[in-house]
């Protein structure tokens, strides 16, 4: 079955949450005239598609993918964050899909990347408590969920609870990217989140997105330079109390001689997560796994220890990083 067909059965996506982070000053006056629908059910999609200011895009999506895109991106489109969806960068499966969108004056960028999550994305993240320890649950406005009923639903993993958790993962990714971009890290600038999606800077050429680093062979000199750039970014993250949590060459884009870190929903705060050092060691091991193949001489354990201590974190190791599940394996 086409995974997008699942969309029609997803009760938990009936409600389109409010969109936030809209810098009103950046919105062009006069064009934002459409009243945003807050309750959009799949069978209303066709009507929505017919409406004025509906999202009609160049990308040739299948019927269900199209409905999914309309549901997730129409509000951003109506708020004039972008003018068109041009192509699928990656995905189309059961997790997140990333699309290349045509930018406009709002962000002053030629293209944007829209990361649109499938509802299953975080349900498949086994051992998610490893990352959620000490974390606040965030609502679709990025605020802490304090409502007892909502927290109970999350603890009981009801349908509502799963939806709230899903939103919380996305908001954590958006907040982490905002924090790191602000701090000068090499991450795509995030613009807005909500509605199952994040809009951010697109990294790549007109007709091709930047490849992930794992597909690239570097010469020794460039490998050494990019390794230093990666370490510099890790130091910025630690200074902001963040560990990526899924760092590897698969989550680093390589574009015109520079690297960009992506994919942050599982990022953790060492101040509140007791597994932080083990997770950090795993990040360093995976990063070094790639750079070692490119001729860089690095010892992940020593490097992890040095960076950790240098940034003032105490070394506690409740979990052996080699025992942590690997993304993509059945245990993750
Ligand atoms: N800002 C961006 N610009 C260009 N391409 C991007 C951007 N963000 C993500 N991508 C592409 O989309 C892919 C998936 O993005 P990301 O890693 O954030 O999501 P994911 O849920 O982990 O998906 P996957 O499991 O496929 O890695 C990346 O590997 C990259 O190829
Ligand atoms: Mg990824």
């Amino acid at each position: 079955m086409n995974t997008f067909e699942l969309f029609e059965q997803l009760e938990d996506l009936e409600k389109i949450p409010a969109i936030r982070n809209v810098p009103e000053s950046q919105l062009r006056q006069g064009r934002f005239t459409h009243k945003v629908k807050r309750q959009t059910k799949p069978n209303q999609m066709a009507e929505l598609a017919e409406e004025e200011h509906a999202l009609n895009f160049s990308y040739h999506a299948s019927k269900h993918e199209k409905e999914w895109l309309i549901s997730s991106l129409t509000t951003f489109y109506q708020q004039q964050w972008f003018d068109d969806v041009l192509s699928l960068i990656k995905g189309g499966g059961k997790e997140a899909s990333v699309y290349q969108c045509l930018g406009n004056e709002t962000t002053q960028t030629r293209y944007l990347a829209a990361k649109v999550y499938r509802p299953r994305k975080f349900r498949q993240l086994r051992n998610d408590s490893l990352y959620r320890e000490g974390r606040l649950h965030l609502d679709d406005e990025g605020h802490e969920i304090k409502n007892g009923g909502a927290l109970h639903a999350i603890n009981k993993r009801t349908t509502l609870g799963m939806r709230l958790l899903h939103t919380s993962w996305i908001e954590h990714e958006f907040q982490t990217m905002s924090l790191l971009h602000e701090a000068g890290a090499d991450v795509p600038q995030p613009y807005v989140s909500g509605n199952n999606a994040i809009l951010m800077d697109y990294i790549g050429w007109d007709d091709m997105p930047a490849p992930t680093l794992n597909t690239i062979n570097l010469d020794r000199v460039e490998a050494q330079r990019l390794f230093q750039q990666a370490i510099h970014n890790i130091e910025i993250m630690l200074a902001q109390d963040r560990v990526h949590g899924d760092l590897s060459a698969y989550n680093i884009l390589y574009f015109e001689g520079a690297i960009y870190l992506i994919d942050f929903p599982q990022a953790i705060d060492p101040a509140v997560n007791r597994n932080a050092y083990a997770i950090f060691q795993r990040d360093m091991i995976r990063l070094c796994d790639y750079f070692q193949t490119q001729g860089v001489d690095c010892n992940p354990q020593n490097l992890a220890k040095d960076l950790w201590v240098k940034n003032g974190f105490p070394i506690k190791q409740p979990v052996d990083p080699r025992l942590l599940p690997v993304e993509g394996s059945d245990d993750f």
Side-chain angles (χ1 to χ4, degrees):
M1 177 175 30
N2 181 327
T3 47
F4 284 99
E5 288 170 13
L6 289 168
F7 172 64
E8 288 180 338
Q9 301 159 16
L10 296 170
E11 292 171 9
D12 51 343
L13 288 165
E14 283 185 0
K15 181 174 175 292
I16 291 182
I19 296 293
R20 57 183 182 78
N21 322 312
V22 184
E24 294 290 341
S25 58
Q26 288 184 15
L27 295 178
R28 283 160 290 161
Q29 290 291 317
R31 281 190 58 197
F32 184 38
T33 53
H34 188 91
K35 190 171 183 306
V36 174
K37 285 196 166 202
R38 291 284 155 78
Q39 295 283 337
T40 307
K41 295 183 180 176
N43 60 6
Q44 291 175 309
M45 293 300 167
E47 284 171 39
L48 188 58
E50 296 304 317
E51 288 183 33
E52 197 186 355
H53 302 300
L55 171 56
N56 287 311
F57 43 83
S58 313
Y59 168 60
H60 291 291
S62 68
K63 179 171 175 282
H64 296 290
E65 184 184 7
K66 188 172 179 182
E67 288 173 350
W68 177 250
L69 274 172
I70 288 171
S71 157
S72 303
L73 296 180
T74 290
T75 309
F76 292 152
Y77 173 72
Q78 289 169 341
Q79 291 175 332
Q80 290 139 35
W81 283 101
F82 66 90
D83 285 349
D84 197 1
V85 181
L86 300 174
S87 63
L88 176 67
I89 297 174
K90 175 108 186 276
K94 54 189 184 297
E95 299 200 345
S97 297
V98 181
Y99 297 88
Q100 180 191 23
C101 300
L102 185 65
N104 58 33
E105 302 95 88
T106 305
T107 57
Q108 309 259 319
T109 51
R110 189 159 169 71
Y111 302 110
L112 291 175
K115 182 171 179 179
V116 183
Y117 298 81
R118 302 297 306 177
R120 294 186 154 206
K121 166 79 182 163
F122 302 113
R123 288 180 195 178
Q124 292 180 337
L125 196 77
R126 301 219 190 133
N127 291 338
D128 62 344
S129 55
L130 203 62
Y131 304 93
R132 288 196 295 103
E133 187 181 85
R135 246 190 192 196
L136 301 177
H137 296 299
L138 303 179
D139 66 16
D140 54 19
E141 295 190 342
H143 300 134
E144 181 187 356
I145 296 176
K146 293 182 177 163
N147 177 290
L151 292 173
H152 183 70
I154 290 171
N155 289 337
K156 291 287 172 202
R157 296 288 194 280
T158 64
T159 304
L160 170 68
M162 293 305 283
R163 180 160 63 81
L164 293 170
L165 265 179
H166 178 87
T167 300
S168 183
W169 284 108
I170 298 171
E171 290 306 313
H172 271 289
E173 171 155 40
F174 181 78
Q175 289 193 0
T176 301
M177 290 185 81
S178 304
L179 177 78
L180 297 180
H181 184 265
E182 193 79 359
D186 298 306
V187 306
Q189 179 172 356
Y191 292 107
V192 64
S193 68
N195 231 5
N196 263 323
I198 294 178
L199 286 190
M200 66 183 91
D201 267 343
Y202 165 83
I203 311 294
W205 300 268
D206 289 357
D207 54 355
M208 200 174 66
T212 49
L213 194 56
N214 62 295
T215 64
I216 301 296
N217 273 320
L218 303 166
D219 66 45
R220 246 168 219 265
V221 175
E222 189 174 24
Q224 189 61 45
R225 183 174 59 75
L226 293 183
F227 181 65
Q228 289 310 325
Q229 192 190 342
I231 298 297
H232 174 66
N233 276 279
I234 288 164
E235 293 214 68
I236 293 176
M237 292 182 67
L238 290 176
Q240 299 297 320
D241 288 340
R242 287 295 178 278
V243 169
H244 187 289
D246 189 19
L247 189 62
S248 75
Y250 290 86
N251 280 327
I252 298 178
L253 300 178
Y254 172 73
F255 183 59
E256 297 186 335
I259 54 172
Y260 298 83
L261 276 50
I262 58 167
D263 204 5
F264 292 91
Q266 67 296 308
I268 54 164
D269 178 351
V272 297
N273 190 314
R274 284 171 301 169
N275 301 304
Y277 184 56
I279 293 171
F280 182 64
Q281 285 177 295
R282 188 184 58 179
D283 277 359
M284 297 308 297
I285 289 168
R286 287 177 177 173
L287 187 75
C288 287
D289 278 349
Y290 168 77
F291 279 103
Q292 282 164 350
T293 65
Q294 306 300 308
V296 176
D297 180 18
C298 51
N299 178 321
Q301 298 292 359
N302 291 347
L303 206 51
K305 193 170 161 206
D306 290 350
L307 290 169
W308 200 251
V309 171
K310 187 176 159 192
N311 281 277
F313 295 113
I315 294 203
K316 299 180 206 152
Q317 192 169 6
V319 184
D320 181 336
R322 296 245 175 223
L323 298 178
L324 287 167
V326 174
E327 185 179 13
S329 78
D330 288 346
D331 296 331
F332 193 80

